[in-house]
């Protein structure tokens, strides 16, 4: 009977919690923020936003692929978090990402692009951090060489560099 009362009390307390408390919380950043995600998201760590420094970004699943780009010479290795993994972390299933760079340039990336084997938010190129001067610290990269559908003007326009903000909208 004691266990039943404890379980009933736990269920009652959880049911009474506000939804905002129940939303998944990620640790707060300890370093300089490199990406702030706002909008319709489940995972937050600061004022209804998910603020990621390099360390927190690196705690998300890592994806690496090699591809050439129209902005660089030759094939390079890019490492980062896939948009599919980020969308899953955020609880995002539809809508679009408004991706904004440090100079306030903004592009719209449909959540439908967030697929396995699709684009990543790269934080390493050839194993090295990218400086602002070299399109960093974050760059949305599609695996252009793996699929001709990724070699279009529309996709190239979504390949925003110096990314620092994402807003998830429906």
């Amino acid at each position: 009977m004691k266990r039943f009362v404890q379980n009933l009390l736990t269920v009652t307390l959880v049911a009474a919690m506000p939804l905002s408390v129940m939303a998944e919380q990620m640790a707060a950043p300890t370093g300089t923020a490199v990406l702030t995600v706002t909008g319709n998201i489940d995972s937050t760590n600061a004022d209804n936003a998910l603020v990621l420094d390099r360390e927190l970004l690196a705690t998300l699943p890592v994806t690496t692929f090699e591809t050439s780009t129209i902005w660089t010479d030759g094939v390079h290795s890019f490492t980062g978090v896939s948009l599919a993994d980020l969308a899953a972390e955020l609880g995002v299933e539809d809508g679009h990402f408004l991706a904004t760079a440090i100079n306030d340039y903004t592009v719209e990336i449909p959540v439908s692009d967030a697929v396995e084997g699709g684009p990543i938010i790269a934080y390493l190129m050839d194993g090295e951090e990218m400086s602002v001067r070299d399109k960093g610290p974050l760059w949305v990269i599609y695996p252009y060489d793996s699929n001709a559908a990724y070699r279009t003007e529309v996709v190239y326009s979504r390949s925003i560099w110096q990314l620092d903000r994402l807003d998830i909208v429906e």
Side-chain angles (χ1 to χ4, degrees), residues 145-160:
D145 294 345
S146 72
N147 187 336
Y150 291 143
R151 294 187 298 272
T152 67
E153 288 302 316
V154 170
V155 170
Y156 292 145
S157 73
R158 295 175 183 159
S159 303
I160 185 171

Side-chain angles (χ1 to χ4, degrees), residues 66-78 125-126 139 144-145:
E66 291 185 351
T67 192
S68 59
T69 80
I70 62 171
W71 305 279
T72 59
D73 293 327
V75 174
H76 296 276
S77 173
F78 293 93
M125 183 170 72
D126 298 329
W139 186 3
Y144 311 105
D145 294 345

Side-chain angles (χ1 to χ4, degrees), residues 81-109:
V81 60
S82 75
L83 280 186
D85 288 335
L86 182 62
E89 172 70 26
L90 299 170
V92 174
E93 296 178 2
D94 57 12
H96 55 272
F97 301 92
L98 286 180
T100 304
I102 60 176
N103 66 357
D104 292 329
Y105 175 77
T106 301
V107 298
E108 186 175 304
I109 302 171

Side-chain angles (χ1 to χ4, degrees), residues 12-125:
T12 303
L13 288 173
V14 169
M17 292 175 71
L19 290 177
S20 61
V21 173
M22 291 174 56
E24 185 177 338
Q25 295 290 310
M26 183 178 269
T30 57
T32 302
V34 293
L35 182 64
T36 301
V37 185
T38 57
N40 189 15
I41 59 176
D42 291 343
S43 184
T44 62
N45 63 4
D47 298 325
N48 296 319
L50 180 62
V51 180
L52 300 167
D53 59 12
R54 300 229 5 118
E55 285 184 14
L56 286 176
L57 194 59
T59 66
L60 296 172
V62 176
T63 300
T64 300
F65 57 72
E66 291 185 351
T67 192
S68 59
T69 80
I70 62 171
W71 305 279
T72 59
D73 293 327
V75 174
H76 296 276
S77 173
F78 293 93
T79 300
V81 60
S82 75
L83 280 186
D85 288 335
L86 182 62
E89 172 70 26
L90 299 170
V92 174
E93 296 178 2
D94 57 12
H96 55 272
F97 301 92
L98 286 180
T100 304
I102 60 176
N103 66 357
D104 292 329
Y105 175 77
T106 301
V107 298
E108 186 175 304
I109 302 171
V111 171
S112 60
D113 276 12
V115 296
E116 188 70 31
I120 65 173
I121 297 175
Y123 48 80
L124 298 177
M125 183 170 72

